[in-house]
Amino acid sequence: EIESRHRLRGGWGGGGDREWGRGLPYDSALSQEALETLAEEAGFSGSEGRSLAFTRAASVLKALPGRLSTLEELGPLPGIGEHSRRVIQDVLEDGVCAEVERVKLSERYQTMKLFTKIFGVGVRTASRWYQEGLRTLVDLQERGTKLTRQQQAGLRHYDDLNTPVERGEAESISRAVQGAVQRCLPGTSVTLAGGFRRGKPHGHDVDLLLTHPEAGREAGLLSRVVSWLDSQDLILYQHSQENSYALQEGPEPPGGRDVMDRFERCFSIFRLEVQGGPGAARGWKAVRVDLVVAPISQFPFALLGWTGSRHFERELRRFASHERKMVLNSHALYDSRRNLFLPAVSEEEIFQHLGLEYVPPAQRNT
Ligand code: DGT
Ligand code: MG
């Protein structure tokens, strides 16, 4: 069930964050898209390393100021390997890269993309279905494919869940959750994290962090909140996971890739009333919402970890471990040289511990 969290996202239509971003020069946006397609394809083939290399190269392009018109301008940029350079060169010279076009047209890539966009379906499941000869969403239904409850919900709400969530919609869901927590445990705060906190106007889901200023009071909160929301017909699907984090266990081993954190958490699909947009005719739209409960002492780490972007988190954790011999995750920061946890009451303090200047959320997009 956790598979879908780990899957690669090309963003809406493969363009990543481009459409809302910083007015990228046309050429470099095309190269970026090409590299993201190859990253996605590598992920579909289970080549995580190759996938990460293409993702990094795309991120380097994204961070470049100004227009890119020749490959030489790139110079010896770290993070852009031989293969990626070739792709960029093709795009600069011909407007397209033949390898990327072949990938985009391949039946396997298209099918993998279709299936991994189902909530609850990851690369492994999609790949198995492909090998079994399944090609369309109708195939899944007609051939009686065994689906988990999560995948059934994902299939039922496929179109809605693959329609971007607008900021206004995220805020409205945040308010509904705010209302619910005030009933269940007054004083609880609800924070909109993820891409919306970084200033994106739309996203694929709504990430909400819950915490209470008095340590321990948050215990048992999530199930009460979810029950109440459910009783208001606001929830179409949900499954929860208990908190399994214990500081005494010590830090996770460094270098553990993009591991799930261990907060108490609810993966859900909300039923959001809408006036316009794709769901207007029926008056509502399905929206993916993650509710995460963090104890107050871990909140700054959770906030930093859940604000993203994924790439920013990966690089920050890598910096912590390689340059500072510290282990950073969404629960804590651990100094391996001194064998101690470094507490923090704010994100600013975490950056201070790392010896870095504070990076505000809006600058964490690459
Ligand atoms: P979006 O929703 O596609 O517009 O983009 P984001 O940036 O909101 O991405 P999302 O919702 O997948 O995740 C938000 C951040 O939270 C991202 O930096 C990674 C982090 N995150 C998501 N799921 C998990 C998880 O299971 N464990 C940990 N540690 N972090 C997670
Ligand atoms: Mg999100």
Side-chain angles (χ1 to χ4, degrees), residues 2 4 97 105 124 129 148 157 160 165 173 191 200 207 231 248 253 271 308 314 332:
I2 63 170
S4 63
C97 166
L105 288 175
R124 255 176 309 147
W129 289 345
T148 62
H157 303 295
D160 278 5
V165 182
I173 286 174
T191 308
K200 282 175 65 174
D207 306 291
S231 74
Q248 308 82 282
R271 182 183 186 281
R314 205 183 298 120

Side-chain angles (χ1 to χ4, degrees), residues 18-32:
R18 174 165 62 90
E19 69 271 42
W20 66 276
R22 19 178 106 191
L24 266 183
Y26 191 53
D27 291 344
S28 112
L30 281 181
S31 306
Q32 210 186 98

Side-chain angles (χ1 to χ4, degrees), residues 5 9 193-196 198 203-207 306:
R5 270 283 151 200
R9 277 198 210 94
F196 290 112
R198 304 196 306 274
H204 97 282
D205 68 356
V206 181
D207 306 291
W306 276 84

Side-chain angles (χ1 to χ4, degrees), residues 328-344:
L328 172 67
N329 59 31
S330 294
H331 298 275
L333 177 64
Y334 183 79
D335 185 331
S336 314
R337 286 197 187 113
R338 291 186 285 164
N339 281 321
L340 49 86
F341 285 99
L342 303 171

Side-chain angles (χ1 to χ4, degrees), residues 108 111 115 124-135 139-140 143-146:
R108 185 181 148 86
T111 311
F115 288 163
R124 255 176 309 147
T125 304
S127 183
R128 195 181 69 239
W129 289 345
Y130 180 80
Q131 252 135 45
E132 288 168 4
L134 300 164
R135 295 292 180 270
D139 285 349
L140 291 177
R143 301 215 210 152
T145 311
K146 248 188 104 183

Side-chain angles (χ1 to χ4, degrees), residues 8-318:
L8 278 146
R9 277 198 210 94
W12 307 107
D17 291 348
R18 174 165 62 90
E19 69 271 42
W20 66 276
R22 19 178 106 191
L24 266 183
Y26 191 53
D27 291 344
S28 112
L30 281 181
S31 306
Q32 210 186 98
E33 211 171 291
L35 292 168
E36 278 164 358
T37 302
L38 293 184
E40 198 177 24
E41 161 63 18
F44 289 162
S45 322
S47 314
E48 295 295 330
R50 240 163 30 88
S51 174
L52 198 55
F54 287 127
T55 304
R56 283 226 169 87
S59 293
V60 171
L61 281 192
K62 197 189 225 169
L64 278 186
R67 193 186 169 86
L68 178 73
S69 42
T70 67
L71 195 60
E72 286 66 44
E73 285 174 23
L74 268 182
L77 274 179
I80 300 195
E82 187 69 24
H83 195 156
S84 295
R85 289 187 88 91
R86 229 165 37 233
V87 173
I88 298 167
Q89 180 155 33
D90 286 352
V91 174
L92 286 176
E93 286 172 0
D94 308 329
V96 289
C97 166
E99 183 193 0
V100 175
E101 296 311 298
R102 253 194 328 274
V103 165
K104 285 203 282 198
L105 288 175
S106 83
E107 193 176 27
R108 185 181 148 86
Y109 172 81
Q110 288 178 5
T111 311
M112 289 296 287
K113 206 165 161 95
L114 181 79
F115 288 163
T116 53
K117 281 184 354 192
I118 303 172
F119 174 48
V121 177
V123 167
R124 255 176 309 147
T125 304
S127 183
R128 195 181 69 239
W129 289 345
Y130 180 80
Q131 252 135 45
E132 288 168 4
L134 300 164
R135 295 292 180 270
T136 65
L137 300 183
V138 173
D139 285 349
L140 291 177
Q141 283 156 333
E142 286 184 347
R143 301 215 210 152
T145 311
K146 248 188 104 183
L147 301 174
T148 62
R149 197 171 62 87
Q150 183 183 19
Q151 292 162 350
Q152 286 168 21
L155 201 52
R156 199 157 48 238
H157 303 295
Y158 189 87
D159 289 336
D160 278 5
L161 299 187
N162 284 292
T163 303
V165 182
E166 304 297 325
R167 170 173 291 277
E169 296 171 341
E171 283 164 355
S172 147
I173 286 174
S174 182
R175 278 194 302 275
V177 174
Q178 186 76 49
V181 302
Q182 287 323 322
R183 286 186 143 257
C184 301
L185 182 62
T188 303
S189 72
V190 177
T191 308
L192 183 56
F196 290 112
R197 184 160 181 257
R198 304 196 306 274
K200 282 175 65 174
H202 43 71
H204 97 282
D205 68 356
V206 181
D207 306 291
L208 293 173
L209 284 183
L210 276 54
T211 193
H212 191 277
E214 265 173 73
R217 294 291 302 280
E218 74 285 349
L221 170 67
L222 191 61
S223 63
R224 296 206 302 278
V225 168
V226 172
S227 297
W228 193 81
L229 290 166
D230 200 18
S231 74
Q232 304 299 300
D233 282 334
L234 282 169
I235 291 197
L236 295 163
Y237 167 88
Q238 64 92 10
H239 77 267
S240 295
Q241 141 194 313
E242 283 177 22
N243 182 350
S244 61
Y245 186 76
L247 269 185
Q248 308 82 282
E249 285 176 24
E252 303 271 340
R257 288 171 300 126
D258 201 17
V259 280
M260 299 276 289
D261 58 49
R262 314 229 233 134
F263 290 115
E264 184 181 7
R265 162 171 179 187
C266 176
F267 303 80
S268 70
I269 300 177
F270 268 52
R271 182 183 186 281
L272 176 71
E273 310 240 329
V274 290
Q275 256 112 54
R282 54 180 140 84
W284 61 272
K285 172 189 176 186
V287 177
R288 270 278 298 120
V289 179
D290 277 340
L291 301 175
V292 181
V293 180
I296 187 74
S297 62
Q298 297 169 31
F299 182 74
F301 300 98
L303 184 61
L304 179 60
W306 276 84
T307 296
S309 68
R310 268 164 199 277
H311 185 68
F312 179 83
E313 300 299 329
R314 205 183 298 120
E315 297 300 308
L316 191 63
R317 288 170 194 204
R318 202 160 73 121

